[in-house]
PDB file of all heavy atoms in Angstrom:
ATOM      1  N   ILE B 260      41.037   6.867   2.812  1.00 98.00           N
ATOM      2  CA  ILE B 260      42.384   6.456   2.369  1.00 98.00           C
ATOM      3  C   ILE B 260      43.393   6.583   3.421  1.00 98.00           C
ATOM      4  O   ILE B 260      43.493   7.654   4.088  1.00 98.00           O
ATOM      5  CB  ILE B 260      42.853   7.277   1.138  1.00 98.00           C
ATOM      6  CG1 ILE B 260      41.729   7.379   0.016  1.00 98.00           C
ATOM      7  CG2 ILE B 260      44.126   6.721   0.542  1.00 98.00           C
ATOM      8  CD1 ILE B 260      41.267   6.059  -0.567  1.00 98.00           C
ATOM      9  N   THR B 261      44.116   5.480   3.708  1.00 98.00           N
ATOM     10  CA  THR B 261      45.094   5.455   4.722  1.00 98.00           C
ATOM     11  C   THR B 261      46.558   5.145   4.169  1.00 98.00           C
ATOM     12  O   THR B 261      46.598   4.550   3.108  1.00 98.00           O
ATOM     13  CB  THR B 261      44.801   4.431   5.817  1.00 98.00           C
ATOM     14  OG1 THR B 261      44.815   3.098   5.235  1.00 98.00           O
ATOM     15  CG2 THR B 261      43.435   4.631   6.514  1.00 98.00           C
ATOM     16  N   GLN B 262      47.520   5.501   4.963  1.00 98.00           N
ATOM     17  CA  GLN B 262      48.884   5.158   4.531  1.00 98.00           C
ATOM     18  C   GLN B 262      49.008   3.682   4.464  1.00 98.00           C
ATOM     19  O   GLN B 262      49.692   3.126   3.486  1.00 98.00           O
ATOM     20  CB  GLN B 262      49.895   5.774   5.529  1.00 98.00           C
ATOM     21  CG  GLN B 262      51.288   5.667   5.163  1.00 98.00           C
ATOM     22  CD  GLN B 262      51.754   6.486   3.924  1.00 98.00           C
ATOM     23  OE1 GLN B 262      50.913   7.344   3.418  1.00 98.00           O
ATOM     24  NE2 GLN B 262      52.876   6.144   3.345  1.00 98.00           N
ATOM     25  N   ASP B 263      48.475   2.928   5.381  1.00 98.00           N
ATOM     26  CA  ASP B 263      48.514   1.476   5.366  1.00 98.00           C
ATOM     27  C   ASP B 263      47.944   0.916   4.008  1.00 98.00           C
ATOM     28  O   ASP B 263      48.552   0.081   3.454  1.00 98.00           O
ATOM     29  CB  ASP B 263      47.735   0.944   6.517  1.00 98.00           C
ATOM     30  CG  ASP B 263      47.724  -0.600   6.588  1.00 98.00           C
ATOM     31  OD1 ASP B 263      48.797  -1.169   6.701  1.00 98.00           O
ATOM     32  OD2 ASP B 263      46.608  -1.179   6.479  1.00 98.00           O
ATOM     33  N   LYS B 264      46.874   1.456   3.572  1.00 98.00           N
ATOM     34  CA  LYS B 264      46.258   0.907   2.304  1.00 98.00           C
ATOM     35  C   LYS B 264      47.188   1.201   1.086  1.00 98.00           C
ATOM     36  O   LYS B 264      47.364   0.403   0.234  1.00 98.00           O
ATOM     37  CB  LYS B 264      44.868   1.579   2.016  1.00 98.00           C
ATOM     38  CG  LYS B 264      43.823   1.144   2.970  1.00 98.00           C
ATOM     39  CD  LYS B 264      42.505   1.862   2.590  1.00 98.00           C
ATOM     40  CE  LYS B 264      41.422   1.587   3.624  1.00 98.00           C
ATOM     41  NZ  LYS B 264      40.169   2.278   3.260  1.00 98.00           N
ATOM     42  N   LEU B 265      47.801   2.421   1.064  1.00 98.00           N
ATOM     43  CA  LEU B 265      48.691   2.773   0.019  1.00 98.00           C
ATOM     44  C   LEU B 265      49.924   1.847  -0.014  1.00 98.00           C
ATOM     45  O   LEU B 265      50.390   1.517  -1.137  1.00 98.00           O
ATOM     46  CB  LEU B 265      49.172   4.254   0.064  1.00 98.00           C
ATOM     47  CG  LEU B 265      48.098   5.273  -0.057  1.00 98.00           C
ATOM     48  CD1 LEU B 265      48.717   6.717   0.176  1.00 98.00           C
ATOM     49  CD2 LEU B 265      47.303   5.285  -1.347  1.00 98.00           C
ATOM     50  N   VAL B 266      50.462   1.549   1.175  1.00 98.00           N
ATOM     51  CA  VAL B 266      51.649   0.770   1.227  1.00 98.00           C
ATOM     52  C   VAL B 266      51.375  -0.709   1.076  1.00 98.00           C
ATOM     53  O   VAL B 266      52.071  -1.456   0.401  1.00 98.00           O
ATOM     54  CB  VAL B 266      52.408   1.063   2.534  1.00 98.00           C
ATOM     55  CG1 VAL B 266      53.636   0.177   2.719  1.00 98.00           C
ATOM     56  CG2 VAL B 266      52.884   2.557   2.497  1.00 98.00           C
ATOM     57  N   ASN B 267      50.345  -1.182   1.893  1.00 98.00           N
ATOM     58  CA  ASN B 267      50.198  -2.692   2.014  1.00 98.00           C
ATOM     59  C   ASN B 267      49.177  -3.220   1.072  1.00 98.00           C
ATOM     60  O   ASN B 267      49.208  -4.411   0.643  1.00 98.00           O
ATOM     61  CB  ASN B 267      49.853  -3.049   3.478  1.00 98.00           C
ATOM     62  CG  ASN B 267      50.977  -2.760   4.385  1.00 98.00           C
ATOM     63  OD1 ASN B 267      52.148  -3.106   4.085  1.00 98.00           O
ATOM     64  ND2 ASN B 267      50.702  -2.047   5.472  1.00 98.00           N
ATOM     65  N   TRP B 268      48.141  -2.449   0.682  1.00 98.00           N
ATOM     66  CA  TRP B 268      47.208  -2.936  -0.349  1.00 98.00           C
ATOM     67  C   TRP B 268      47.694  -2.601  -1.784  1.00 98.00           C
ATOM     68  O   TRP B 268      47.598  -3.468  -2.662  1.00 98.00           O
ATOM     69  CB  TRP B 268      45.858  -2.280  -0.179  1.00 98.00           C
ATOM     70  CG  TRP B 268      45.068  -2.649   1.060  1.00 98.00           C
ATOM     71  CD1 TRP B 268      45.490  -3.448   2.034  1.00 98.00           C
ATOM     72  CD2 TRP B 268      43.712  -2.274   1.321  1.00 98.00           C
ATOM     73  NE1 TRP B 268      44.491  -3.563   2.951  1.00 98.00           N
ATOM     74  CE2 TRP B 268      43.364  -2.860   2.596  1.00 98.00           C
ATOM     75  CE3 TRP B 268      42.793  -1.487   0.658  1.00 98.00           C
ATOM     76  CZ2 TRP B 268      42.111  -2.657   3.206  1.00 98.00           C
ATOM     77  CZ3 TRP B 268      41.518  -1.355   1.238  1.00 98.00           C
ATOM     78  CH2 TRP B 268      41.211  -1.911   2.479  1.00 98.00           C
ATOM     79  N   ALA B 269      48.213  -1.454  -1.955  1.00 98.00           N
ATOM     80  CA  ALA B 269      48.688  -1.005  -3.276  1.00 98.00           C
ATOM     81  C   ALA B 269      50.204  -1.141  -3.332  1.00 98.00           C
ATOM     82  O   ALA B 269      50.891  -1.654  -2.438  1.00 98.00           O
ATOM     83  CB  ALA B 269      48.289   0.448  -3.456  1.00 98.00           C
ATOM     84  N   ASN B 270      50.714  -0.699  -4.504  1.00 96.00           N
ATOM     85  CA  ASN B 270      52.174  -0.810  -4.771  1.00 96.00           C
ATOM     86  C   ASN B 270      52.874   0.406  -4.284  1.00 96.00           C
ATOM     87  O   ASN B 270      53.537   1.199  -5.020  1.00 96.00           O
ATOM     88  CB  ASN B 270      52.298  -0.968  -6.292  1.00 96.00           C
ATOM     89  CG  ASN B 270      53.747  -1.161  -6.727  1.00 96.00           C
ATOM     90  OD1 ASN B 270      54.595  -1.630  -5.978  1.00 96.00           O
ATOM     91  ND2 ASN B 270      53.980  -0.840  -8.036  1.00 96.00           N
ATOM     92  N   ASP B 271      52.775   0.697  -2.942  1.00 98.00           N
ATOM     93  CA  ASP B 271      53.407   1.977  -2.435  1.00 98.00           C
ATOM     94  C   ASP B 271      52.860   3.221  -3.259  1.00 98.00           C
ATOM     95  O   ASP B 271      53.672   4.041  -3.717  1.00 98.00           O
ATOM     96  CB  ASP B 271      54.948   1.929  -2.442  1.00 98.00           C
ATOM     97  CG  ASP B 271      55.522   2.951  -1.500  1.00 98.00           C
ATOM     98  OD1 ASP B 271      54.814   3.504  -0.602  1.00 98.00           O
ATOM     99  OD2 ASP B 271      56.742   3.243  -1.652  1.00 98.00           O
ATOM    100  N   ALA B 272      51.599   3.174  -3.490  1.00 98.00           N
ATOM    101  CA  ALA B 272      50.976   4.142  -4.491  1.00 98.00           C
ATOM    102  C   ALA B 272      51.193   5.590  -4.120  1.00 98.00           C
ATOM    103  O   ALA B 272      51.100   5.948  -2.909  1.00 98.00           O
ATOM    104  CB  ALA B 272      49.528   3.781  -4.628  1.00 98.00           C
ATOM    105  N   ARG B 273      51.276   6.387  -5.141  1.00 98.00           N
ATOM    106  CA  ARG B 273      51.225   7.811  -4.992  1.00 98.00           C
ATOM    107  C   ARG B 273      49.759   8.190  -4.718  1.00 98.00           C
ATOM    108  O   ARG B 273      48.864   7.610  -5.349  1.00 98.00           O
ATOM    109  CB  ARG B 273      51.722   8.518  -6.303  1.00 98.00           C
ATOM    110  CG  ARG B 273      53.168   8.198  -6.636  1.00 98.00           C
ATOM    111  CD  ARG B 273      54.096   8.842  -5.727  1.00 98.00           C
ATOM    112  NE  ARG B 273      55.497   8.726  -6.124  1.00 98.00           N
ATOM    113  CZ  ARG B 273      56.424   9.535  -5.822  1.00 98.00           C
ATOM    114  NH1 ARG B 273      56.283  10.447  -4.924  1.00 98.00           N
ATOM    115  NH2 ARG B 273      57.694   9.312  -6.210  1.00 98.00           N
ATOM    116  N   PHE B 274      49.594   9.204  -3.901  1.00 99.00           N
ATOM    117  CA  PHE B 274      48.222   9.617  -3.536  1.00 99.00           C
ATOM    118  C   PHE B 274      47.929  10.944  -4.293  1.00 99.00           C
ATOM    119  O   PHE B 274      48.644  11.899  -4.248  1.00 99.00           O
ATOM    120  CB  PHE B 274      48.056   9.837  -2.084  1.00 99.00           C
ATOM    121  CG  PHE B 274      46.709  10.366  -1.691  1.00 99.00           C
ATOM    122  CD1 PHE B 274      45.603   9.607  -1.747  1.00 99.00           C
ATOM    123  CD2 PHE B 274      46.570  11.763  -1.454  1.00 99.00           C
ATOM    124  CE1 PHE B 274      44.357  10.093  -1.392  1.00 99.00           C
ATOM    125  CE2 PHE B 274      45.297  12.299  -1.173  1.00 99.00           C
ATOM    126  CZ  PHE B 274      44.177  11.508  -1.178  1.00 99.00           C
ATOM    127  N   MET B 275      46.755  10.900  -4.946  1.00 99.00           N
ATOM    128  CA  MET B 275      46.338  12.087  -5.689  1.00 99.00           C
ATOM    129  C   MET B 275      44.932  12.568  -5.224  1.00 99.00           C
ATOM    130  O   MET B 275      44.056  11.665  -4.879  1.00 99.00           O
ATOM    131  CB  MET B 275      46.297  11.806  -7.184  1.00 99.00           C
ATOM    132  CG  MET B 275      47.692  11.531  -7.758  1.00 99.00           C
ATOM    133  SD  MET B 275      47.678  11.097  -9.543  1.00 99.00           S
ATOM    134  CE  MET B 275      47.393  12.719 -10.256  1.00 99.00           C
ATOM    135  N   HIS B 276      44.706  13.785  -5.245  1.00 99.00           N
ATOM    136  CA  HIS B 276      43.351  14.349  -4.991  1.00 99.00           C
ATOM    137  C   HIS B 276      43.275  15.804  -5.567  1.00 99.00           C
ATOM    138  O   HIS B 276      44.362  16.569  -5.562  1.00 99.00           O
ATOM    139  CB  HIS B 276      43.064  14.468  -3.460  1.00 99.00           C
ATOM    140  CG  HIS B 276      41.706  14.756  -3.159  1.00 99.00           C
ATOM    141  ND1 HIS B 276      41.159  16.078  -3.233  1.00 99.00           N
ATOM    142  CD2 HIS B 276      40.640  14.025  -2.743  1.00 99.00           C
ATOM    143  CE1 HIS B 276      39.877  15.986  -2.914  1.00 99.00           C
ATOM    144  NE2 HIS B 276      39.512  14.801  -2.589  1.00 99.00           N
ATOM    145  N   CYS B 277      42.203  16.182  -6.070  1.00 98.00           N
ATOM    146  CA  CYS B 277      42.125  17.513  -6.847  1.00 98.00           C
ATOM    147  C   CYS B 277      42.201  18.669  -5.836  1.00 98.00           C
ATOM    148  O   CYS B 277      42.498  19.722  -6.242  1.00 98.00           O
ATOM    149  CB  CYS B 277      40.798  17.528  -7.608  1.00 98.00           C
ATOM    150  SG  CYS B 277      39.319  17.477  -6.666  1.00 98.00           S
ATOM    151  N   LEU B 278      41.804  18.404  -4.526  1.00 98.00           N
ATOM    152  CA  LEU B 278      41.648  19.409  -3.499  1.00 98.00           C
ATOM    153  C   LEU B 278      40.555  20.335  -3.946  1.00 98.00           C
ATOM    154  O   LEU B 278      40.323  20.541  -5.123  1.00 98.00           O
ATOM    155  CB  LEU B 278      43.001  20.211  -3.323  1.00 98.00           C
ATOM    156  CG  LEU B 278      44.257  19.434  -3.025  1.00 98.00           C
ATOM    157  CD1 LEU B 278      45.471  20.369  -2.892  1.00 98.00           C
ATOM    158  CD2 LEU B 278      44.108  18.524  -1.847  1.00 98.00           C
TER     159      LEU B 278
END
Side-chain angles (χ1 to χ4, degrees):
I260 311 298
T261 64
Q262 186 66 14
D263 178 60
K264 290 180 185 178
L265 296 179
V266 174
N267 295 314
W268 290 7
N270 183 25
D271 199 18
R273 300 287 189 161
F274 175 77
M275 299 179 73
H276 191 283
C277 62
L278 305 182

